[in-house]
Amino acid sequence: MEISWLTPQSLSQIQRLTQYYGSEEQLNAIITAHNEFKVRLPLVGAFSAGKSTLLNAFLGEKLLAVQVNPETCLATEIHYGATETIQLMNEVGVVCQLNREQLKNQEFPIKNNKLTHWVDIAIPHSELQKVPELVLVDMPGWESGIAQHGQAIDGYVNRSGAYCLVVSAEEGDLRESLKRLLAELKIYQMPVVLIITKCDKRLPEDIPALKEKITQSVTDVLGEAPIDVITIAARKKNITGFAPAIERVNGKADVIYKNSVGTQFVNWLNSAAQQINVLLNQDNLTLEQSRQECAQIPEELAALKVQLQQLAQQIDEIVPICSDAINRNMQSALASQLDSLTRSALRGGDIDGIVGSALRQAFLSGVEQDFKPRITRTIKAFQNINDLAPSAINIQSDFQASPQGESYSGIFNQGVALAIAKVLSLIPVLKPFSLIIHGLASIFMSNTEQQYRQEQQQEEAKQYVLNTLIPQILNQTQSTVSNNLNQLADQIKQELNQETERNAAEKQRALETLQQNLQKNEAEYQAQCQQYNEDLVIATDLLEQCKG
């Protein structure tokens, strides 16, 4: 992606402006974001869905391990580079260089397990060169574990043009864990590319119906169809459609850049232009008037802080409203997972994974629908809302199915015995076969009794979930939701306060510079104003180009 307005000349102009206006620290952070900008395309799916095999086929070599240890595998980012490098990364930076053998064997020298690690691969590949801003991300196999969930969503959703959902044709449909992933992606209105792998494992005539079934399952959860559906057989080197799909995702780079880095440039340039306007003294302030204006800044700041206090009070009032909405969302989400929770309670399954996923969805959708619309300003805290989305929760299920009852078994057995005796008395010719008849009846009674007992335990588990487990979960998550919303509110208030103080400081600095200029002789002052006018033209032109 070439950003037409951000030429070396325009970047040099912006850097020159920061010598006199705006925050140099802010601009440096924006330029770093510009230089490091990439669009991610995470590939998510169950273990053995064929993600790594697909990427190996795309790259034309066996670069990634396909037989992996779920406990040690890391997210792997693959992008174009003029020379090949393989690096172990974490939030701090590069941990170490890796070789291909270490990559295949998953030999990652991780010393600090508290940090999130991933592998970064730059490779000189012709297809990747066509999409230099795109990063393909081979995510660890998606199971119900909330740790993989958090990394796939929190680490990538704000930096991705779409997600590739990889489903094996052998599966036949979506797993429940993938449905929960899609439900969360729906909150972010994230496009999804559906890739159905291992199609060579099914009969060719079965593929169209299978494709339609899985596509419909994705559509039912997302509320809209995938932007692309591809059927492949990577082991047979048949991955037609994958390269065009990633090119379409790369086409979203401009929009993603504008919404992330571009808006930061716009805000910085607006701030610089405001300072230049003050320095140009368009209000024709005298030296004494500029001093009075400067002296009034503390009063203006105090008045603004009073307004901030009122806004803070409004934010505090939003918290309980949003908390109630999230709890309702949570109750609805748990009710929709009634069958899954019932099975987990009955069989000792992963209740924490189901509840954690439901809690994240409820929290994020509540913030999107009930918090954001009430805050009309652009808030950076909302961009990192995933960090506050609760997920880690420990639910103790103490459900015990009741032991086998005697009443049903005894009554049923007596009834069948009486019925057989009656039949044998009416049809004496059957008496020689009485042992066989009793044996068949015994098998029938055993199967019927087992089915009855399973249905009885299923109903007991369902009632336990409805009357005990769900109330327990709601009670436990209510305080978590409230605490996290209060943290969000505090971050918003802190951000608004810092923005207000920064704007006041920049205005004061501009007025103090104006005072110095007013004390210069006429020739010097006019020369300075000419420079300001030239700088204002540059800032205004850059703003127009940036908004573009």
Side-chain angles (χ1 to χ4, degrees):
M1 178 188 69
E2 293 185 359
I3 304 166
S4 57
W5 72 272
L6 197 56
T7 61
Q9 179 184 359
S10 60
L11 191 56
S12 175
Q13 289 174 325
I14 292 175
Q15 290 173 321
R16 194 190 68 78
L17 288 176
T18 196
Q19 297 176 21
Y20 309 101
Y21 327 104
S23 166
E24 184 176 2
E25 182 181 352
Q26 277 187 313
L27 181 62
N28 288 338
I30 297 169
I31 292 174
T32 298
H34 163 77
N35 292 334
E36 296 178 355
F37 175 77
K38 295 284 185 182
V39 176
R40 269 71 182 175
L41 178 61
L43 280 73
V44 292
F47 280 108
S48 302
K51 303 182 299 298
S52 300
T53 304
L54 164 61
L55 290 173
N56 283 339
F58 173 69
L59 296 172
E61 57 180 320
K62 294 182 178 180
L63 179 66
L64 304 175
V66 293
Q67 300 294 331
V68 298
N69 181 352
E71 300 299 323
T72 61
C73 64
L74 300 176
T76 302
E77 299 190 354
I78 306 169
H79 56 91
Y80 176 76
T83 58
E84 180 175 311
T85 60
I86 305 174
Q87 302 177 118
L88 178 64
M89 309 286 294
N90 61 26
E91 296 102 314
V92 179
V94 178
V95 177
C96 66
Q97 302 293 323
L98 300 172
N99 57 45
R100 288 195 171 208
E101 196 66 23
Q102 288 173 302
L103 178 65
K104 282 189 177 181
N105 295 332
Q106 297 180 274
E107 296 173 353
F108 305 131
I110 296 174
K111 296 180 180 179
N112 187 349
N113 287 318
K114 294 181 179 180
L115 296 176
T116 299
H117 289 76
W118 66 94
V119 177
D120 180 272
I121 301 176
I123 186 168
H125 191 277
S126 58
E127 289 296 328
L128 290 174
Q129 191 173 14
K130 296 177 184 177
V131 286
E133 291 79 30
L134 191 69
V135 178
L136 299 172
V137 187
D138 185 11
M139 297 299 302
W142 185 273
E143 302 300 334
S144 56
I146 203 68
Q148 298 97 323
H149 188 154
Q151 186 183 13
I153 298 296
D154 300 346
Y156 290 99
V157 73
N158 290 323
R159 303 183 294 158
S160 298
Y163 273 62
C164 268
L165 184 69
V166 182
V167 181
S168 168
E170 294 178 306
E171 293 274 350
D173 206 349
L174 297 181
R175 294 187 180 190
E176 288 299 320
S177 57
L178 288 178
K179 290 181 180 179
R180 293 196 291 270
L181 165 67
L182 289 173
E184 192 163 329
L185 293 179
K186 179 182 179 181
I187 298 171
Y188 296 99
Q189 299 180 326
M190 179 62 64
V192 168
V193 175
L194 173 60
I195 300 179
I196 304 174
T197 60
K198 303 184 181 180
C199 290
D200 54 317
K201 302 289 186 178
R202 303 290 290 262
L203 295 173
E205 56 267 27
D206 294 339
I207 298 302
L210 179 67
K211 178 179 177 180
E212 183 178 354
K213 180 182 179 181
I214 299 176
T215 301
Q216 187 60 51
S217 294
V218 173
T219 304
D220 289 343
V221 180
L222 279 181
E224 60 182 17
I227 59 174
D228 212 338
V229 182
I230 307 165
T231 55
I232 65 172
R235 291 189 182 277
K236 301 291 185 180
K237 311 301 181 186
N238 178 13
I239 57 169
T240 305
F242 182 63
I246 65 174
E247 287 184 25
R248 281 192 286 275
V249 173
N250 188 64
K252 298 176 178 290
D254 285 329
V255 174
I256 296 173
Y257 178 90
K258 185 175 181 180
N259 291 337
S260 55
V261 183
T263 55
Q264 296 182 59
F265 273 120
V266 168
N267 293 338
W268 189 91
L269 288 166
N270 270 325
S271 176
Q274 289 171 5
Q275 291 181 57
I276 296 171
N277 279 318
V278 171
L279 292 170
L280 278 170
N281 195 18
Q282 293 179 342
D283 294 332
N284 293 317
L285 298 177
T286 65
L287 178 60
E288 183 59 31
Q289 287 172 329
S290 68
R291 286 173 177 165
Q292 291 174 0
E293 287 257 343
C294 202
Q296 290 173 0
I297 286 179
E299 295 180 12
E300 293 177 2
L301 182 58
L304 286 172
K305 289 203 169 184
V306 170
Q307 295 178 15
L308 278 179
Q309 288 176 355
Q310 295 172 348
L311 181 56
Q313 184 177 352
Q314 293 174 7
I315 292 171
D316 289 338
E317 291 171 353
I318 293 172
V319 169
I321 297 173
C322 188
S323 181
D324 289 343
I326 290 172
N327 288 328
R328 289 194 299 272
N329 290 345
M330 184 65 178
Q331 191 167 10
S332 176
L334 292 174
S336 69
Q337 293 288 334
L338 179 59
D339 289 343
S340 296
L341 287 169
T342 298
R343 288 194 297 270
S344 294
L346 194 58
R347 302 170 187 170
D350 179 29
I351 291 178
D352 286 355
I354 297 171
V355 174
S357 180
L359 181 56
R360 282 179 58 89
Q361 292 175 36
F363 183 87
L364 292 170
S365 61
V367 171
E368 289 286 333
Q369 297 167 10
D370 295 281
F371 207 124
K372 279 188 180 181
R374 300 171 191 268
I375 306 292
T376 55
R377 301 174 66 164
T378 301
I379 301 295
K380 289 182 180 177
F382 284 137
Q383 298 175 6
N384 301 317
I385 189 61
N386 295 301
D387 296 338
L388 288 174
S391 57
I393 187 166
N394 184 20
I395 301 297
Q396 299 296 328
S397 171
D398 56 359
F399 173 74
Q400 294 291 332
S402 61
Q404 177 181 349
E406 296 294 334
S407 58
Y408 172 83
S409 176
I411 294 172
F412 189 80
N413 288 343
Q414 291 174 14
V416 171
L418 288 172
I420 292 175
K422 183 70 172 176
V423 170
L424 292 176
S425 66
L426 294 174
I427 312 175
V429 71
L430 295 177
K431 285 184 178 180
F433 304 100
S434 62
L435 289 177
I436 297 175
I437 294 172
H438 277 95
L440 293 173
S442 177
I443 294 172
F444 170 75
M445 286 187 293
S446 176
N447 291 338
T448 304
E449 185 177 359
Q450 183 179 6
Q451 181 180 356
Y452 170 78
R453 188 163 60 250
Q454 289 174 347
E455 291 174 353
Q456 187 180 41
Q457 291 177 344
Q458 183 84 5
E459 182 60 27
E460 288 175 2
K462 181 178 179 180
Q463 293 305 315
Y464 167 80
V465 169
L466 286 171
N467 300 320
T468 302
L469 187 61
I470 289 181
Q472 173 194 337
I473 293 169
L474 293 173
N475 183 59
Q476 185 172 336
T477 58
Q478 191 167 8
S479 59
T480 301
V481 167
S482 181
N483 290 338
N484 288 29
L485 285 176
N486 282 319
Q487 288 183 48
L488 174 61
D490 289 342
Q491 289 181 11
I492 293 172
K493 288 183 282 189
Q494 183 180 9
E495 182 179 332
L496 292 173
N497 188 61
Q498 290 174 344
E499 180 185 346
T500 300
E501 291 183 347
R502 184 173 61 249
N503 290 339
E506 289 176 353
K507 182 178 180 181
Q508 182 165 1
R509 187 175 67 177
L511 284 168
E512 288 171 350
T513 305
L514 175 61
Q515 292 171 36
Q516 296 171 9
N517 292 339
L518 289 173
Q519 295 180 66
K520 296 178 181 178
N521 61 46
E522 184 65 20
E524 288 179 320
Y525 179 65
Q526 290 302 325
Q528 189 68 65
C529 285
Q530 181 178 350
Q531 183 62 59
Y532 291 148
N533 277 306
E534 291 175 1
D535 290 345
L536 183 61
V537 169
I538 291 172
T540 304
D541 286 348
L542 288 170
L543 263 173
E544 293 301 316
Q545 295 172 38
C546 187
K547 292 177 181 177

